[in-house]
Every structure is written in structure tokens, then in C-alpha cells.
Amino acid sequence: MPVILDVKSLALPIEPYLFTNRQMADVLRARQALVVPCMRRFGFAWPASDPERNDSAGTVPGMRNAANLDRRYGITDPALAARHGYHFAPGSRQRDPQDSTSASRPNTDALAVLTGRTGDGTPAPARYHGRAVPEGGCQGQASTRLAGDRPLGNDQLANEINVVSYQKSQADPRVRSVFRAWSACMRKHGYSYAAPTDAPGKDPRFTGPAPTRQEIALAEADVACKRQTNVIGVWFTVDAAHQRQMMASKGPELARAKDAIRTQSANADRVLNGSG
């Protein structure tokens, strides 16, 4: 196994087939730009809240793409661990899903026009105040404008490979072995965790608004043991191998996934620049 101490220069095989965080943010902003005039035609003051919050829940600030290599194998940067513990650096904080749902949840009528569905998921009436509601609502119409007959955002196969390879890697004997080595190293520092996936950073003691000295000490030990036992080298290599195996017979499907990224990005650019 190669010795790899950090993730900065790594890229998983599936990443070219996933939207970057910036691309996805642009697509969602473009969808919002198309939804706003549609909703207003039906008499709704839209957006109901901050437009950046209202249509950006699919992105995570600071994350390169859905593979999330910065945190895929837990924290790996010793400098960030020493400064922030398990907390995200300012400006790259993960978005709380509640931030983009509870405060901006539309009322019943607006939801029907926005999505073409009622609150319980059943189809909404096809007309609102005598005006025909687009299929899938204003949001569905906007998504079709950007993505055609394909789903908006990441391709289902690419998403599946991204997620399943990670799950398979954790069960792989080579990764389980390096987890045991990491755990033994952590015991020498006075911590009892069976594996990095036990997510020490989710300990309730370490989820306050700022990192504590105890959190930083644990995070530093976590990263040091990962580096000492080559957790990143083993885990990434196994993860990538599982991805290549799953991708081997899916060339045409993955080519379509990459084409969808180009198409949606180009359409979003035209909308945001007022040329489409």
C-alpha cells in the first residue's frame, strides 16, 4: 500500500462524474432564478426568504464535491486539527439542513405551485386560480429547462458508486486491519475508539460553538495516529479500487453522467448570464 499522509492531492476515480460544489451551486442558483418569475406569475411573493438559503441546501460550503475527500476519511490535516479540532474552519462550515428548510418552508398553496405536489406528496390540482400549473410545478419546469429529461444534479449511478465504494471499503479486511492499528495507537494516547468511523468528533462534548482544548487534543491524536498507521493510504487505495471495479463495465452510462454535468452547467451559465 502507498503511504499517504493527507488528502490534498488525491482524487477518486468517480470524481470527474460528480458535480463540483461550485457547479452544483450555480445550477441551484439558476433554478432559483427560473423559479422566482414563475412563482410571481401565480401571485406569490417569492422567494419567501433569503434566496441563497432557499435554494442552496444541496451544497456544502468548503466541500469540493459529493465525494467530500476533505472529510471522507475523517479529519486528516494536523494544522486544522490543532486549530479547530473537529470543527470546520470559518467559511467552510457545513450547512445545517434546518437552515434551508424550516425557515423557508412554503405554505400549502405555494408548495403546490412550486412542486406540483401537496404536503403529503400527492399530485396537486393542475390549475391555481384558473392558471395552469407547469408539470412538476415551477421547480419542475425550471429543472427541465436546465437538465432536460434527466434528473437535476448528480447522476444516480455516479452517486451510487461514490456511496457504495465507501461502504465497501469500511468492510474490507485491509481497512479493518488498519483501523485496528489506528485504535491501538489511540489507546496509547489514552483514547478508546475502535475505528475512525466511530466519529470521535461527534461526541456531544465536542459539538459546541467552538473547539475545546480536550477536543483539539483528541483531534491531534486522531490525525497523528492516522499518519502513523497509514490509514489514509490504505483506506483511499481500497476505496478507489472498489470504485474502479464498479466503473469498469459502466463506460457508456458514466459518459452520459459527464455529459449531464456539461449540459446542466452550460444551461445554468446561460440563465445566470441572462442569455438563456
Side-chain angles (χ1 to χ4, degrees), residues 193-218:
Y193 292 99
T197 50
D198 285 350
K202 292 185 179 178
D203 188 309
R205 294 173 296 169
F206 308 139
T207 55
T212 63
R213 284 182 294 177
Q214 293 87 348
E215 176 188 343
I216 286 174
L218 172 59

Side-chain angles (χ1 to χ4, degrees), residues 239-251:
D239 195 3
H242 282 294
Q243 288 192 1
R244 283 191 290 271
Q245 184 178 32
M246 287 185 282
M247 294 167 68
S249 62
K250 301 296 182 180

